[in-house]
Amino acid sequence: MRIRRTHGILGGLLVALLGIWGGIIPFVGPYFHYAYTPDKAWTYTTGRLELEILPGAGALLGGLLLIAARSRYVCLFGALIAIASGAWFALGNVFAPLWTVAGPAGGPASTGTLMRAVEQVGFFTGLGIAIVMVAAAAAGRLSAVPSLRAVETVPVAEVPASREPVDDSVVDESETRVIR
């Protein structure tokens, strides 16, 4: 079940970068007026841990497994970790009221409607969907590509030698031209 090492590099790199973005943006976003409350740089809350840091770390781990793995099982495991992390980015705010009264991630810090939507997409929903899409594509590519063992053990069919000379031109009588 070995695979070429290049099969998961691009997808793994994208997933790892998106995981880094998701884990670090709540801390550096306030420098650029792109934040969720509390909109102070490097402020730690349990909501940030549960909804941003942990899924970001999971996506980073899944991406690193996709990059470094030489086994199909390890790559698929990394893709599944990344898919679960992306799903948590996208749906964590929806399920957060089950264990807390206040929204643990806070709210978009901007006052404009467009910027509030951009913050929601960039911090959670869009980020999660992007991670799920890239990790699922990497997992699909792994399941569609044959393993190294399967490629190496395919028997080569031998063509039997013919005793008669073979004419390599065929005449198409409908158009009376020679096709080679």
Side-chain angles (χ1 to χ4, degrees), residues 51-159:
L51 297 175
E52 294 166 309
I53 298 170
L54 290 178
L60 177 62
L61 175 65
L64 292 176
L65 285 174
L66 282 169
I67 290 170
R70 297 185 60 96
S71 165
R72 187 178 304 254
Y73 298 121
V74 174
C75 279
L76 288 175
F77 181 67
L80 288 174
I81 290 174
I83 288 170
S85 297
W88 189 248
F89 267 123
L91 297 173
N93 270 339
V94 174
F95 292 115
L98 294 175
W99 67 83
T100 184
V101 176
S110 296
T111 57
T113 306
L114 177 64
M115 196 58 194
R116 291 173 66 88
V118 169
E119 287 171 349
Q120 174 64 35
V121 168
F123 272 75
F124 297 106
T125 311
L127 176 63
I129 290 171
I131 291 172
V132 168
M133 285 178 51
V134 172
R141 184 165 189 256
L142 287 170
S143 63
V145 175
S147 67
L148 290 178
R149 173 175 268 173
V151 171
E152 293 173 354
T153 60
V154 173
V156 177
E158 293 185 24
V159 178

Side-chain angles (χ1 to χ4, degrees), residues 26-27 37-38 42-53 103-106:
F27 299 108
T37 55
W42 301 105
T43 302
Y44 172 82
T45 64
T46 57
R48 286 187 173 173
L49 174 70
E50 295 166 352
L51 297 175
E52 294 166 309
I53 298 170

